[in-house]
């Protein structure tokens, strides 16, 4: 029996190869997928932005303050008053301490000044007693010199000086220079002018006289010529403007560095009366 014939259908030459194309999705499905992806991305971006904002801003916490009641206000006011009073008390104590320190300093200063004044008074009293004793000694010396001068002859050109004493020392020094030359501006030991001789004589007993006759006429105490004594300085010319000086040695005589022609000599006061006299011893 013959087998039935199978009809042969012509096929394409690519019919045996499977297609690699993916099945097409519908337009609705594709749009939904894309929307979902886009929404997810946007959600993630929003979440990230929110997290960044939360990380940048500090977290704050609100604390509720207690309510200021009338009692609390009173306590605060009382505390402030107490603090102010304590400050005032401290300031008062500081002022009192400063005043006490100042008073102590002033008291110490007053005590030092009182001691200084007392010491000065003591020294002044001692100086006064010493000066009185020296005046008494000088008076006795002058009395001795005057008596000796009165006993000398009228032709004598010198007065005998006592053996000791400041006035006697001055007179003895002056007489030792008799015969020396007169030279303007000279100060010894063998030539003098009038004021340098007087200055050197009184320096022997510790009396420092000015160098020139004008100033020497201003030294010591003024003495009337009627009461002149041995050792007094005589000056010629006005007081403060004297042009010549000498020393009275008693018996109406004085000793001076007269001029270049005479030198150091003893002269009679009557022959050349002085203008005034001062006493330094």
């Amino acid at each position: 029996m013959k087998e039935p014939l199978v009809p042969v259908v012509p096929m394409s030459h690519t019919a045996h190869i499977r297609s690699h194309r993916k099945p097409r999705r519908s337009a609705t499905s594709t749009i939904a997928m894309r929307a979902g992806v886009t929404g997810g991305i946007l959600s993630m971006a929003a979440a990230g932005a929110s997290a960044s904002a939360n990380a940048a801003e500090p977290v704050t916490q609100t604390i509720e303050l207690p309510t200021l009641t009338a009692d609390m206000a009173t306590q605060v006011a009382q505390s402030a008053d107490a603090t102010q009073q304590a400050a005032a008390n401290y300031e008062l104590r500081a002022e009192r301490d400063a005043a006490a320190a100042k008073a102590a300093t002033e008291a110490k200063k007053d005590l030092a000044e009182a001691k200084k004044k007392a010491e000065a008074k003591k020294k002044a009293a001692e100086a006064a007693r010493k000066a009185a004793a020296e005046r008494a000694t000088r008076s006795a010396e002058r009395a001795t010199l005057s008596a000796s001068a009165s006993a000398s002859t009228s032709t004598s050109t010198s007065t005998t000086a006592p053996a000791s004493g400041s006035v006697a020392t001055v007179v003895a020094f002056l007489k030792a220079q008799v015969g020396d030359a007169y030279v303007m501006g000279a100060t010894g030991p063998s030539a003098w002018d009038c004021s340098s001789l007087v200055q050197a004589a009184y320096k022997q007993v510790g009396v420092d006289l000015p160098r020139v006759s004008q100033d020497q006429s201003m030294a010591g105490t003024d003495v009337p010529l009627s009461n002149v004594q041995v050792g007094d300085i005589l000056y010629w010319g006005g007081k403060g403007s004297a042009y010549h000086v000498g020393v009275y040695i008693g018996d109406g005589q004085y000793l001076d560095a007269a001029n270049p022609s005479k030198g150091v000599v003893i002269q009679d006061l009557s022959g050349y009366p002085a203008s005034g006299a001062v006493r330094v011893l």
Side-chain angles (χ1 to χ4, degrees):
M1 181 174 176
K2 293 182 180 182
E3 293 180 3
L5 297 173
V6 179
V8 177
V9 180
M11 296 180 66
S12 171
H13 68 280
T14 60
H16 70 281
I17 300 175
R18 292 182 179 181
S19 176
H20 292 282
R21 294 180 180 178
K22 293 180 181 180
R24 292 184 178 182
R25 295 174 184 175
S26 64
T28 304
S29 177
T30 301
I31 292 171
M33 181 178 293
R34 290 177 178 176
V37 171
T38 304
I41 293 172
L42 292 175
S43 296
M44 290 176 66
S50 177
S52 298
N54 290 336
E57 296 180 359
V59 178
T60 60
Q61 183 178 3
T62 303
I63 301 175
E64 183 178 357
L65 297 176
T67 304
L68 185 63
T69 63
D71 292 341
M72 292 180 65
T74 302
Q75 292 177 0
V76 170
Q78 290 177 351
S79 178
D81 292 341
T83 301
Q84 185 175 5
Q85 184 62 38
N89 292 338
Y90 178 79
E91 184 176 0
L92 180 61
R93 285 196 299 271
E95 291 177 354
R96 289 177 179 175
D97 293 342
K102 183 178 180 181
T105 300
E106 291 179 351
K108 185 177 180 180
K109 182 179 179 181
D110 292 340
L111 179 60
E113 290 180 354
K115 289 182 178 179
K116 186 176 180 180
K117 289 180 179 179
E119 185 68 20
K121 288 182 179 179
K122 182 178 179 181
K123 290 181 178 179
E126 291 177 354
R129 287 194 296 269
K130 184 177 180 180
E134 290 178 351
R135 285 195 298 270
T137 301
R138 288 196 296 269
S139 296
E141 291 173 352
R142 290 190 179 101
T144 302
L145 287 172
S146 298
S148 177
S150 298
S152 63
T153 63
S154 59
T155 59
S156 174
T157 59
S158 64
T159 302
T160 303
S164 62
S166 57
V167 174
T169 301
V170 171
V171 173
F173 176 85
L174 291 170
K175 288 184 175 182
Q177 314 312 313
V178 172
D180 285 353
Y182 175 98
V183 177
M184 177 65 71
T187 57
S190 59
W192 314 84
D193 61 17
C194 64
S195 56
S196 69
L197 179 61
V198 173
Q199 183 187 47
Y202 282 91
K203 191 174 183 180
Q204 305 304 309
V205 293
V207 177
D208 292 326
L209 291 177
R211 171 63 180 85
V212 297
S213 58
Q214 292 88 346
D215 294 334
Q216 289 179 1
S217 67
M218 300 291 293
T221 305
D222 290 337
V223 177
L225 290 174
S226 59
N227 194 33
V228 68
Q229 296 182 6
V230 175
D232 291 342
I233 298 174
L234 304 174
Y235 64 86
W236 285 259
K239 185 174 179 64
S241 59
Y243 58 84
H244 187 68
V245 288
V247 178
Y248 184 71
I249 60 174
D251 196 25
Q253 295 180 323
Y254 65 94
L255 190 152
D256 68 338
N259 52 51
S261 61
K262 291 183 178 181
V264 178
V265 294
I266 295 175
Q267 304 189 84
D268 288 333
L269 189 57
S270 59
Y272 190 35
S275 303
V278 291
R279 181 170 298 162
V280 294
L281 287 176

